[in-house]
Amino acid sequence: MNQTLLIELLTEELPPKALAKLGAAFAAGIVNGLKARDFLEADSVATSFASPRRLAVSITKVRATSPDKAIREKVLPVSVALDANGNATAPLAKKLAALGFPELTVAELERAVDGKAESFFYTHTAAGSALHTGLQAALEESAAKLPIPKLMSYQRPDGTTVQFVRPAHSLVALHGAAVLPLTLLGLAASNTSLGHRFLMAAGSQQIVIADADSYAATLASEGKVIAGIEQRKEKIRAALLEKAGADQVLMPEALLDEVTALVEWPVVYECRFEDEFLAVPQECLILTMQTNQKYFALTDTAGKLRSRFLIVSNIETATPAAIVGGNERVVRPRLADAKFFFEQDKKKTLESRLPLLDKIVYHNKLGTQAARGERVAALAGHIATLIGGDATLAIRAAKLSKADLVTDMVGEFPELQGIMGTYYARNDGEHEDVALAASEHYQPRFAGDSLPSTVTGTAVALADKLETLVGIWAIGLAPTGDKDPFALRRHALGVLRMLIEKRLAISIGALLSTAAKMFDFVAGFKDPSADIYTFMIDRLRGILRERGFSPNEIEAVVAQNPDRLDDIVQRLEAVQAFAALPESASLAAANKRITNILKKNEEALSASGNTGVNAALLVDTAEKNLAAAVLRVQPLVDAAFAAGDFADTLKTLAQLRDDVDAFFNDVMVMAEDVALRNNRLALLSSLHGMMNRVADISKLAA
């Protein structure tokens, strides 16, 4: 009979950061184990549960007994099973006995070709097994394969030692309303769980689960436990938003996940701290509240921190004064520490801290942070000049950009590097561009992060990332497989995004070459610019795919090894529009054919001097028409390209389709007459150059 199955393992408090993975793995292991043993229907549905003290799964439509199966067993090769007279041998009798069919005769066996020889086979029906048998194995397999951060060893009441992520106290195993005879970690299954540790009266925490289908509802109504991790998370989210009122609540998903894993019956309360702490940079206060206390900060609609914050408690009470007061007392010393660090740091300028960077090793082959700062500063000044910025500001910003690494605040909260640099630079009276660059030179920090807002910040950000790429790559630490300890992929993506989105008309090759010159001091230095360029172009393909361009469209542009990216999106949009034209397929195919012809005849073209098309050598009507069309269209293409109208550049090429098709239908390019052949190659070369101004449209050919 098919019924819902429930398995729950009750434990001591599980590690919150691992809870979601543990719950999902526990459920998946049991589901996969039952599926492999044929206890599930095709439309069985599994629901995972995970709370601070329990891992559970319910599965619908689970069979009480697995179906009977027809099994075809290979017995022995005929040459071994029969003697020279065709009689059964002793090995055959022994094999049949081992298989559990000692009474079988040769006549009852199937004789069939097995590879190059014949063998005996026997087909029989294996009876299905009871659910508890298969589930016992699946449960043990699932528990053994859990992604446990660290195993604990503990003793059961009977003195046996058990290892698990946390001590386990009870096991629930129900098929419908029936308790299954299972064991795990020294526990025998029952239908009894425990409710909330604090909200249930002493001695009444035991909850009887009547049947598998009522598990979640029973725990919620009788035990004050929301077993589903997603249900708890959404309840917390809704309660935070409600309590925040007109304010904005800062609730990063990672913090929500961790808090969800800490409570079984979440309740949100409002707390406050003294307004005097608001004089401290709000990033410091927010970080300490989130990281150290798991609190949710509030801001007004303008993003300014409020002196009230929200906590998620595991206790529901009509008189929460003690809970609120306790949390307010706990957070106060944290905020006081932040205020102290801030006030102390402001007593020294960022510039006065620069000598301390000479004591911090960046890499033993690349020197100190101070030496790196000099390289980044020189590169930033050069880049600022190229993009219309102030080189003096860029150099100053680059030199000060890492000074906050040796402040007390960043020493306590490394996540604030850059952010504190901006505050301290402003306190020192530095130019606003210099102050902003202290934080903006780290941007973009991740996918979707904003780019630097100023030219100075952009110059320093590019310099910082290019210096890292070239330096780390040159000492043999290029990314390999999944290993990228210096985040070179992220740096490359950051450079690409700035070049593309800010439409910076600068050469990638020149940037890499200039960066490489900063490392002449490295023994045996080999310029890695070519390898880094290839690496960056691979990352570029990913960026462009995310923007919705097809692989063929991307290759049409990337195949030209672009050295500037300021107009690459516009080129791709033009290619996309061209690909939609009815003439595009024919012209793309023709361009591919022209490319192959010219590649095979490079020497002939070079030897002829490729001085252009000689009208006197145009013989066939089709080649005359094509030459005339090229002359007519060329000025239009040149004008559109010069104006940056790539779409019109490619659209103009559509006029050539009929003449190109007629040329390849009627004209023999590789004529025996050398002069005639070279003239036709020159015509194709002229056409090829015009067709590939924006992109290599041959890549659009299927």
Side-chain angles (χ1 to χ4, degrees):
M1 182 178 179
N2 292 355
Q3 295 189 76
T4 300
L5 172 71
L6 169 70
I7 300 293
E8 182 206 65
L9 183 63
L10 189 79
T11 69
E12 290 295 330
E13 274 71 9
L14 295 161
K17 291 185 178 180
L19 182 63
K21 287 184 179 179
L22 287 170
F26 183 74
I30 294 172
V31 169
N32 293 335
L34 292 178
K35 187 179 293 183
R37 294 168 174 83
D38 207 11
F39 283 100
L40 303 186
E41 299 288 352
D43 57 347
S44 292
V45 177
T47 303
S48 171
F49 301 97
S51 81
R53 295 198 299 153
R54 69 199 76 225
L55 302 174
V57 61
S58 70
I59 311 169
T60 63
K61 299 183 180 180
V62 178
R63 298 168 180 146
T65 305
S66 62
D68 295 346
K69 286 187 178 180
I71 299 177
R72 185 171 184 255
E73 299 265 12
K74 179 180 176 180
V75 183
L76 280 178
V78 172
S79 59
V80 177
L82 301 179
D83 60 19
N85 298 319
N87 297 319
T89 62
L92 176 60
K94 185 176 180 180
K95 180 67 174 182
L96 290 173
L99 292 174
F101 311 115
E103 72 285 354
L104 287 177
T105 65
V106 171
E108 294 175 286
L109 300 177
E110 173 194 356
R111 186 167 177 167
V113 175
D114 180 33
K116 295 183 179 180
E118 279 190 311
S119 293
F120 281 121
F121 294 85
Y122 179 63
T123 301
H124 62 95
T125 299
S129 58
L131 173 60
H132 71 271
T133 303
L135 181 55
Q136 180 68 54
L139 182 58
E140 291 173 358
E141 290 168 3
S142 180
K145 294 178 181 178
L146 288 180
I148 296 174
K150 187 177 181 180
L151 282 169
M152 285 185 64
S153 294
Y154 63 96
Q155 278 194 331
R156 296 285 305 147
D158 61 3
T160 58
T161 299
V162 180
Q163 284 191 323
F164 197 55
V165 60
R166 292 291 186 271
H169 294 302
S170 70
L171 175 67
V172 175
L174 294 174
H175 188 224
V179 177
L180 298 174
L182 302 180
T183 60
L184 183 69
L185 303 173
L187 302 168
S190 71
N191 63 348
T192 303
S193 184
L194 291 181
H196 198 286
R197 176 168 285 175
F198 307 116
L199 296 179
M200 303 294 292
S204 63
Q205 291 184 358
Q206 285 199 341
I207 304 293
V208 175
I209 310 298
D211 56 72
D213 288 309
S214 63
Y215 172 69
T218 301
L219 278 184
S221 62
E222 299 182 25
K224 291 289 187 179
V225 171
I226 299 175
I229 195 166
E230 285 302 317
Q231 288 80 3
R232 287 200 312 283
K233 182 177 179 179
E234 292 313 309
K235 182 178 179 181
I236 292 171
R237 192 195 305 273
L240 288 170
L241 291 171
E242 181 182 358
K243 208 75 170 179
D247 287 335
Q248 309 296 312
V249 57
L250 304 182
M251 45 181 176
E253 288 299 311
L255 179 59
L256 267 176
D257 289 340
E258 188 171 359
V259 170
T260 300
L262 289 168
V263 296
E264 290 190 314
W265 191 258
V267 184
V268 174
Y269 298 114
E270 177 184 326
C271 302
R272 291 184 176 272
F273 58 80
E274 289 77 4
D275 286 348
E276 67 183 76
F277 291 119
L278 293 176
V280 180
Q282 66 182 49
E283 292 89 348
C284 308
L285 306 182
I286 292 169
L287 185 63
T288 191
M289 283 193 284
Q290 291 179 344
T291 304
N292 296 320
Q293 305 304 137
K294 315 307 175 191
Y295 297 157
F296 293 85
L298 296 170
T299 66
D300 61 21
T301 54
K304 186 178 179 181
L305 186 67
R306 298 293 303 275
S307 59
R308 69 187 190 105
F309 60 95
L310 303 179
I311 66 168
V312 179
S313 174
N314 198 30
I315 299 177
E316 182 179 45
T317 175
T319 55
I323 296 173
V324 170
N327 282 279
E328 290 176 346
R329 284 192 299 275
V330 167
V331 79
R332 194 172 293 116
R334 295 287 189 180
L335 302 184
D337 286 347
K339 183 180 179 183
F340 174 77
F341 293 144
F342 183 56
E343 294 299 333
Q344 289 297 111
D345 284 342
K346 288 194 299 181
K347 293 178 181 179
K348 295 175 65 176
T349 65
L350 288 176
E351 186 171 22
S352 70
R353 297 177 185 274
L354 292 179
L356 296 175
L357 294 178
D358 205 30
K359 299 178 181 179
I360 301 176
V361 176
Y362 169 59
H363 191 282
N364 59 1
K365 293 183 179 179
L366 299 175
T368 64
Q369 279 286 4
R372 179 172 186 262
E374 293 296 327
R375 293 194 296 272
V376 173
L379 189 54
H382 172 72
I383 294 172
T385 302
L386 294 177
I387 62 177
D390 187 320
T392 302
L393 285 178
I395 292 170
R396 178 69 174 172
K399 285 184 176 180
L400 296 179
S401 63
K402 304 296 184 185
D404 68 345
L405 294 178
V406 292
T407 61
D408 291 339
M409 186 72 82
V410 174
E412 180 71 14
F413 301 111
E415 301 92 334
L416 293 175
Q417 58 186 280
I419 294 171
M420 296 314 302
T422 293
Y423 280 104
Y424 296 144
R426 284 173 177 156
N427 182 70
D428 296 346
E430 298 287 348
H431 191 284
E432 181 63 10
D433 278 13
V434 173
L436 285 173
S439 56
E440 290 189 340
H441 83 279
Y442 287 105
Q443 294 173 324
R445 298 175 179 85
F446 48 84
D449 190 19
S450 57
L451 301 182
S453 64
T454 66
V455 175
T456 299
T458 300
V460 180
L462 284 169
D464 184 76
K465 291 167 176 57
L466 288 165
E467 192 276 345
T468 301
L469 278 164
V470 173
I472 297 300
W473 201 291
I475 59 174
L477 296 174
T480 55
D482 294 333
K483 294 183 178 179
D484 186 13
F486 290 89
L488 298 191
R489 291 185 179 88
R490 177 165 56 81
H491 287 307
L493 288 170
V495 171
L496 292 169
R497 278 193 59 200
M498 283 185 276
L499 295 177
I500 294 169
E501 295 175 31
K502 289 183 173 291
R503 300 198 65 174
L504 302 178
I506 50 179
S507 159
I508 299 174
L511 286 175
L512 291 170
S513 179
T514 303
K517 291 176 183 177
M518 306 291 170
F519 294 93
D520 290 339
F521 67 92
V522 177
F525 176 78
K526 292 183 180 179
D527 188 346
S529 296
D531 290 337
I532 296 175
Y533 175 81
T534 301
F535 176 75
M536 292 178 71
I537 292 300
D538 284 341
R539 308 283 83 71
L540 175 63
R541 289 184 173 92
I543 289 176
L544 297 175
R545 281 196 299 270
E546 290 176 358
R547 287 175 173 256
F549 297 108
S550 72
N552 284 354
E553 291 163 354
I554 293 169
E555 288 309 310
V557 174
V558 171
Q560 295 186 320
N561 295 318
D563 193 40
R564 279 176 37 186
L565 303 180
D566 52 308
D567 59 11
I568 194 165
V569 172
Q570 289 68 37
R571 288 175 182 260
L572 273 162
E573 289 172 346
V575 169
Q576 202 170 54
F578 174 76
L581 297 175
E583 299 89 352
S584 65
S586 176
L587 286 172
N591 192 44
K592 188 173 185 178
R593 185 174 179 181
I594 293 169
T595 301
N596 292 333
I597 291 172
L598 294 178
K599 188 177 292 185
K600 292 178 181 178
N601 292 276
E602 286 178 344
E603 291 184 9
L605 275 171
S606 178
S608 68
N610 192 20
T611 55
V613 179
N614 185 345
L617 292 176
L618 296 172
V619 178
D620 295 340
T621 300
E623 64 181 324
K624 291 178 180 178
N625 290 341
L626 180 59
V630 169
L631 286 175
R632 183 183 74 254
V633 169
Q634 184 77 57
L636 302 175
V637 169
D638 291 344
F641 186 82
D645 191 343
F646 302 130
D648 195 48
T649 302
L650 290 176
K651 187 177 179 181
T652 303
L653 297 176
Q655 301 176 29
L656 298 171
R657 184 186 67 172
D658 292 342
D659 291 313
V660 171
D661 288 347
F663 177 86
F664 281 115
N665 285 333
D666 301 342
V667 177
M668 174 66 71
V669 177
M670 305 308 293
E672 292 185 10
D673 186 309
V674 175
L676 196 61
R677 179 170 68 241
N678 286 343
N679 198 54
R680 288 171 179 171
L681 288 172
L683 175 59
L684 291 181
S685 179
S686 175
L687 176 62
H688 188 263
M690 184 169 59
M691 294 176 80
N692 292 278
R693 290 288 294 278
V694 174
D696 182 354
I697 63 172
S698 69
K699 300 297 182 181
L700 298 176

